[in-house]
Amino acid sequence: MSKDQSQDSAAEFFPSRKSLKAFRDAAADCKACDLWQRGTQTVFGEGPRRAEVFFVGEQPGNEEDLTGHPFVGPAGRLLNDALVDAGIDRAQTYVTNVVKHFKWEPRGKRRIHKKPNSSEITACRPWLEAEIALIKPKVIVCLGATAARALLGPRFLVSKQRGQFIESTLAPYIMATVHPSSILRAPDEETRHAEKRRFIDDLKKVARVISKN
Ligand code: SF4
């Protein structure tokens, strides 16, 4: 297919059947931006169809790209630990990313994460919108600035507004906090520990919301 305007949106690849499985299968063949050529595979969201909590990160990382599952690398393991401490069952949450392919650049033998640009985020956004529409979560948690800006607007600042529930038409409750990978990048053990505690405190607010009927 030649590159034309109609290929710049993942919506062009939408299935006729509106089920999570149909969307996941269709996303596997998405070529709406150039990232499909760089990543190993599409990493679609995972979790129960009726998950109350919906986590959105930026994009899959190295391990996610290789396994095809979201949040299974170091950041995912930190998220799992923090969820346990906050009293949230990960098996009852849906986890996904704004962009579904791993964007990276080579450094020696390693593949280093590269931030997706605005056209890649725009192209991929329909998959995220479809996931939200199908799951209808009670709480959406944006992990990091890319997810927060994609869902809460370009002026949203995680550094100032993290942990606050924001009014939105996307879900009854939506908040942003840091991406767990930023905690892993903390310069020393003490900072890492403090940042993890703040992250758990944000997740405890989510736990309180889902415990309400
Ligand atoms: S990153 Fe998103 S829009 Fe781009 S090819 Fe992958 S699934 Fe499609």
Side-chain angles (χ1 to χ4, degrees), residues 13 15 17 19-30 44 127:
F13 295 82
R17 202 160 55 82
S19 75
L20 208 48
K21 183 181 181 315
F23 273 86
R24 179 175 291 111
D25 291 349
D29 295 324
C30 182
F44 205 70
W127 295 125

Side-chain angles (χ1 to χ4, degrees), residues 32-107:
C33 76
D34 290 342
L35 294 184
W36 69 273
Q37 298 176 68
R38 209 177 304 190
T40 306
Q41 58 197 314
T42 306
V43 182
F44 205 70
E46 287 182 356
R49 170 75 175 76
R50 290 287 167 213
E52 283 192 297
V53 187
F54 185 105
F55 287 101
V56 191
E58 182 191 81
Q59 62 166 339
N62 188 57
E63 285 187 45
E64 288 80 6
D65 172 70
L66 296 173
T67 61
H69 301 290
F71 284 93
V72 292
R77 291 191 281 278
L78 192 148
L79 175 64
N80 288 351
D81 289 350
L83 286 171
V84 170
D85 287 349
I88 299 171
D89 181 1
R90 164 135 180 199
Q92 299 306 317
T93 68
Y94 190 88
V95 289
T96 193
N97 287 292
V98 172
V99 167
K100 311 292 195 229
H101 270 99
F102 180 34
K103 184 175 183 180
W104 57 278
E105 57 189 6
R107 194 174 301 161

Side-chain angles (χ1 to χ4, degrees), residues 110-150:
R110 295 178 63 211
R111 302 190 302 169
I112 303 298
H113 161 274
K114 196 161 182 241
K115 251 190 181 332
N117 63 35
S118 59
S119 62
E120 290 154 354
I121 291 170
T122 301
C124 209
R125 189 184 170 93
W127 295 125
L128 177 61
E129 289 173 350
E131 289 173 296
I132 294 172
L134 287 161
I135 304 285
K136 296 184 179 60
K138 185 173 183 182
V139 192
I140 297 175
V141 183
C142 303
L143 298 170
T146 301
R149 291 196 186 128

